[in-house]
Structure formats: C-alpha cells, structure tokens
Amino acid sequence: MSSASAVTDSSFEQEVLQSSLPVLVDFWAPWCGPCRMVSPIVDEISKDFEGKIKVCKLNTDENPNVASQYGIRSIPTLMIFKGGQKVDTVVGAVPKATLSGTVSKHL
C-alpha cells in the first residue's frame, strides 16, 4: 500500500525530475485548510495508480526554492511531471474525479 512520500528542495531533482514514472507533486503547507482537504484525495490517487505514477508532497514553507522555481502562487497546487518536465497543473482543492482524470491523461 503506497502513499505520498515527502520531497524537499534537495531531493526534488532525484525523486521527481529523474523519476522513470510520471510524478504527481502536491505543493502544500500545514496551515492551509484546502491542502488538508485535498491530502486524503492525493493519498487515494497514490493507491489507485500504484505502480503507474509516483506521488510526492512538498511542504512549501520548508522548501521555498522548488516552490518559487515553479511559480507556486497559491496552494494546494498539484503538478504532474513526466520525463523531468512539468506537463500539467491543477490549482486548488479539486474533487477526486478531476484529479484522477488529469493523472490518467499522462499515463
């Protein structure tokens, strides 16, 4: 059973950009209410697509470099990376069906 793993400024390149699987990254912060709402959905996506995608969470308060590098203005922001490139972005707390559909497009 898989769930999202934490990434940091220092592990982002190896964990996300060099991943052989597409990666869903949840940019979040502990004080963010909508982030807490979307967190269980992100964990469900991780289980639903186990073996097909990798799911990571990046705390924007503790890791500001990656967040600013990708222009994160509001959280939660969920980005999909494939082959080291950002291929899609979902901003805000969205329903599971929306997130599943977005992930499915990139498999």
Side-chain angles (χ1 to χ4, degrees), residues 58-89:
L58 185 130
N59 181 329
T60 56
D61 286 351
E62 295 173 1
N63 302 283
N65 295 344
V66 169
S68 67
Q69 182 181 344
Y70 287 98
I72 304 300
R73 298 271 178 267
S74 60
I75 51 175
T77 293
L78 300 132
M79 288 187 179
I80 298 175
F81 292 83
K82 194 171 181 179
Q85 300 295 313
K86 178 180 77 168
V87 294
D88 215 333
T89 305

Side-chain angles (χ1 to χ4, degrees), residues 14-72:
Q14 182 180 359
E15 293 292 322
V16 177
L17 302 181
Q18 295 176 6
S19 174
S20 57
L21 292 172
V23 184
L24 174 67
V25 180
D26 176 10
F27 292 88
W28 71 285
W31 50 264
C32 165
C35 297
R36 289 196 296 274
M37 286 169 39
V38 86
S39 184
I41 295 169
V42 170
D43 288 336
E44 285 178 37
I45 296 284
S46 176
K47 292 175 183 71
D48 293 351
F49 291 92
E50 190 166 5
K52 297 186 184 107
I53 67 163
K54 186 174 181 178
V55 178
C56 299
K57 295 185 179 193
L58 185 130
N59 181 329
T60 56
D61 286 351
E62 295 173 1
N63 302 283
N65 295 344
V66 169
S68 67
Q69 182 181 344
Y70 287 98
I72 304 300

